[in-house]
Structure formats: C-alpha cells, structure tokens
Amino acid sequence: MDLAIFDQGVRSLSQGHWPTSAMKSAGMNLWGDHFHPVIVLAAPLYWLWDDPRMLLIAQAMALGVGCAVLVRTAQRLVPGRGPVPVAVLLGLGLAAAPGTQWAMVFDVHEVAFGVPLLALSLAALREERWCAFTAWSLAVLLVKEDAGLLVAGLGGVVFLMGRRQLGATLAAVAMAWTGLVLVVIIPALSPTGQWLYRGAVGGPRASLHHVSQALLSPGLLTGTVAVMLLATGLVALRSPLPLALLPSLAARSISGNPAYWGITYHYNLLPSVVLAFATLDGMRRFAPRARQRATALLVMAVMCSARYGAVGLRLRDHVDPGRVDAAREALGVVPPGAPVAADVFLTPHLTREHPVTQQVRPAWPPGRADYRDDIGRPLAARWLVLDRNSASHGGAEHWLPQALDHFHREGWRTVHDRDGFVVLTR
C-alpha cells in the first residue's frame, strides 16, 4: 500500500504538482497527512523512468549511500587493517541491522531518503565540523514531522559534549519546527484541517496506559531497543549518541498504535543509523587491545543481525509464479485510465495507468452501500479488483464472500473470477 501511496505522490511532484495520492483520498495532498518534503529528491528520477520500481531502487541507493558515509567516516577515525577492517564491519552492521532490513522489506518510505542526510550529520558531528553538522541536521527536519525529535536529541548530545550554545539552539529550533509543522503546516494542507494522527495519543490517562504497554508488554518497545543494541554488540553503549533517541522513543511510547513499538516496519531505520555511528564512536573509545575484543563481538553481532534480518529473502520464497500470472490477467481486465479500487497488494501494479484507491472492508453488518477512503469519503471507483487469498485485513476469506453478496445487491457485477482474483464493475 505505501509503495502505491508514495508512487502517486512522487509522480505528481515530477509533473509539477503537489504530492497528491488517491490512495489516501481523491486529490489529497500527502503533506497534509505526513510532512516529508524530502520526497522531492525522488521526483527527478521519474523523469528517467516513471515506474514504482524506481522508488525501490532509490530507497536501496539511499540506504547504500548512508552505509558508505559510515564506512568512509570510520576509515578516517578508526584506521587499521585486519581480516575484516572495522570500517567495513560497521558498514555491514548498518546494512544488516534489523531496522534497515525491515525498512527494505516493508515497501518504500520517506525515512529512507533521510538516511544519507542523517549519516552526513553524524559524520560531521564525530569529526567536530560544526557548521556542516548544523546544516545537515536542519536538513533532517525535512524528512518527516517527527524528525524534529531526533534532531532535538542530537542537540542534547552536543550540549553534553560541551557545545552548550549550539546544542541548546539546535534543540530549540527543532522543537519549534516540530510544533509549527504539527499545529500549522499539516492542518493547513490536510483536507480535514487537522493532524490526522492526533487521536492516536489521547489524553494523559491514555498516554500513561500506552507507555505502560509499550515498556512492559513482552516484545514491544523495550524488546525493540534491546534487539537494536544487541545488533551493535552493545558497543554503542560506550557512546552518548544513543541518548539522542530518547525523545523519539518517548513519543513512540505514548502512541496507541502498537506498530510504533515493535521491531518491524520502518520506524527503526533512522535509529539504526544513530546506533551505527554510536558503535563507531564506541570503538574509538576502546584501547587498542580492548578494541580487538570489541571487534570480535561486533562480528558476531553482525552475523546474528544478518541472519535475523533475512526475512526479505524468506518472503521471496513465498511468491507463487502461478498467482503472479493470474493477478496480471485480472488486472488486464480493467480498462486503461478507469478509476479502480484494489487489494493493497495489487495497487502498485495499477498506479501507472489508473487513479487507484485501496480496497478497504466495508463495515459489517453493512450500514452503507459503498467503500470509504482514509478520511471517510466515498470512493469514486468504478472497478474493484479483489483477492480471495489476500493477506490484507486478516485474510479476505473471512469476509469476502459476504462482501461480494453485498456488492451484487448494490449493483456491482462480476466480470472476472478466476484463480482467486475477482474483478467487479458498475
């Protein structure tokens, strides 16, 4: 779903328009949902190849650049040779980190384009190039509305390092920018006139409940932090840089969305970059003999991370070529340019030629005769492409038969039903 959303938004930018996405709502400005001007960097790529796969390539390149910045910085700060040079090991560690691997598996997101910016900021910080650090840190603010919390955390670290005026100023600017984005910019661009995710936080009592769940429930935010630190061989704890993550982790803990707490999805990508540079900083703080032991520990951590993060390779094994051909046949039934709502796993294959919206479950028992988009507006789709075997919404087999009966009563007719894929029109 998110690949389709960003494909629509970046394509719109490449054509000189606001980043609109019908996947969210017809004509909706994505910057009224999340404020991520950094995606402008991907727009020129669509002049070369207008295709969702270009975003997948761009995301991989952005993560690769972040790893390269880390390696080059480590080569300058921790020189040395060995079977596996420390610099190369650190780069492999960032590439294999669970946060990086899950971000690669889970579609495309704006935070990927923030990886080079954050890496350049942290490299400048470690080399005490303060003007460059400030410039790159301010650029990180354009990654997403919550990036200000991370930048404020970096300001706090700089404050503790003794650059008190710079650290305090950067933290204040970052928090002021975050407030401006959440209170003014996003509501001004949102079709509802407000930040759509405010309800996920709730009042003080709800926030405290969310914090207790995030910190105390097994396998949630506490476990996420533990896994990410273990992926560095705990060497990152030798550096003050992990302290920069505290504001972001605190904000994630007060949300009622459990997705923010876990190790999956893309929420741990930028924290993985911070921890990778913290590992570099930690290696510098070891004496030469202790550094050898720390390197051996880091080798084991990287190997474990690579094994843990191989979920992408395992997912590849689940692709059935027969279903791919059947899906293509079903999608070919929809006339070019026709407005279509589709199962979320099919939407990226339609966005080049169709105004596509996601197919969402109607409320049961049926209280209305149509589907609704993310902000409650009726969908304008004239075609539906459904998947009887979809993994979306907990499995279509539990509700699709009833939904098909409902659509037929409302005037939709089935024009294709083969190998699990159903196409309806009205």
Side-chain angles (χ1 to χ4, degrees):
M1 177 177 67
D2 290 346
L3 175 57
I5 291 172
F6 281 102
D7 174 61
Q8 290 176 331
V10 173
R11 177 176 294 108
S12 181
L13 282 171
S14 72
Q15 297 169 353
H17 307 299
W18 288 101
T20 57
S21 174
M23 285 287 294
K24 301 296 294 185
S25 185
M28 179 174 174
N29 188 335
L30 285 181
W31 292 342
D33 180 53
H34 291 297
F35 191 65
H36 38 51
V38 72
I39 64 173
V40 170
L41 297 177
L45 299 176
Y46 271 50
W47 303 341
L48 303 175
W49 188 30
D50 185 348
D51 191 278
R53 287 167 288 186
M54 179 56 87
L55 287 181
L56 295 170
I57 295 172
Q59 175 169 263
M61 291 176 64
L63 299 187
V65 169
C67 293
V69 171
L70 173 63
V71 171
R72 292 296 295 164
T73 306
Q75 287 174 334
R76 292 192 293 268
L77 298 181
V78 192
R81 300 182 181 274
V84 182
V86 171
V88 174
L89 184 59
L90 289 169
L92 292 174
L94 176 55
T100 306
Q101 289 296 309
W102 275 107
M104 285 294 296
V105 170
F106 185 54
D107 285 5
V108 164
H109 292 90
E110 68 288 295
V111 290
F113 303 108
V115 168
L117 304 178
L118 180 59
L120 289 166
S121 169
L122 294 169
L125 172 61
R126 287 292 50 157
E127 296 175 342
E128 298 186 356
R129 294 182 285 114
W130 300 114
C131 289
F133 163 71
T134 303
W136 288 118
S137 296
L138 294 177
V140 172
L141 295 175
L142 303 179
V143 173
K144 198 177 178 183
E145 64 270 13
D146 59 355
L149 299 174
L150 176 56
V151 175
L154 291 177
V157 170
V158 170
F159 184 89
L160 294 176
M161 290 173 60
R163 306 285 298 195
R164 297 184 182 279
Q165 183 174 357
L166 174 60
T169 302
L170 182 62
V173 169
M175 294 307 296
W177 171 257
T178 301
L180 178 67
V181 169
L182 294 180
V183 176
V184 178
I185 297 178
I186 289 181
L189 299 175
S190 170
T192 64
Q194 59 184 352
W195 181 42
L196 296 177
Y197 302 95
R198 173 64 181 85
V201 178
R205 180 176 298 181
S207 297
L208 288 175
H209 176 66
H210 298 157
V211 170
S212 65
Q213 284 187 309
L215 299 182
L216 302 179
S217 300
L220 295 180
L221 192 57
T222 307
T224 296
V225 173
V227 167
M228 293 173 65
L229 289 173
L230 287 171
T232 73
L234 301 181
V235 178
L237 293 177
R238 296 273 298 182
S239 168
L241 274 177
L243 296 175
L245 300 177
L246 292 180
S248 299
L249 292 173
R252 288 167 63 176
S253 71
I254 66 174
S255 171
N257 185 353
Y260 294 154
W261 307 337
I263 196 67
T264 55
Y265 306 118
H266 57 290
Y267 302 111
N268 300 302
L269 177 56
L270 295 184
S272 293
V273 178
V274 173
L275 291 179
F277 276 87
T279 306
L280 164 59
D281 190 33
M283 294 294 291
R284 294 177 61 209
R285 295 167 184 265
F286 283 108
R289 182 172 297 180
R291 187 179 299 169
Q292 294 179 355
R293 294 193 294 269
T295 301
L297 185 63
L298 188 56
V299 168
M300 291 187 290
V302 171
M303 292 175 64
C304 291
S305 293
R307 179 66 183 89
Y308 180 86
V311 62
L313 298 178
R314 294 198 296 271
L315 286 176
R316 183 185 62 183
D317 296 334
H318 291 287
V319 177
D320 181 353
R323 273 182 53 80
V324 171
D325 292 338
R328 286 174 177 161
E329 181 183 2
L331 296 177
V333 174
V334 182
V340 55
D343 183 87
V344 294
F345 291 99
L346 299 175
T347 52
H349 303 276
L350 290 161
T351 48
R352 283 190 64 182
E353 299 181 356
H354 302 273
V356 182
T357 55
Q358 60 173 303
Q359 166 256 314
V360 292
R361 259 187 313 186
W364 297 108
R368 57 188 185 223
D370 54 19
Y371 277 39
R372 301 273 170 165
D373 62 24
D374 273 15
I375 61 174
R377 292 173 175 172
L379 298 182
R382 309 301 299 179
W383 292 79
L384 283 175
V385 184
L386 311 180
D387 181 0
R388 294 184 184 273
N389 301 310
S390 175
S392 64
H393 306 298
E397 69 276 3
H398 299 302
W399 58 270
L400 188 54
Q402 188 177 5
L404 288 174
D405 290 341
H406 173 63
F407 284 126
H408 291 155
R409 289 195 300 270
E410 297 300 329
W412 293 80
R413 58 186 178 89
T414 299
V415 295
H416 177 90
D417 189 350
R418 186 177 304 167
D419 298 324
F421 294 95
V422 184
V423 181
L424 301 94
T425 187
R426 62 178 176 182

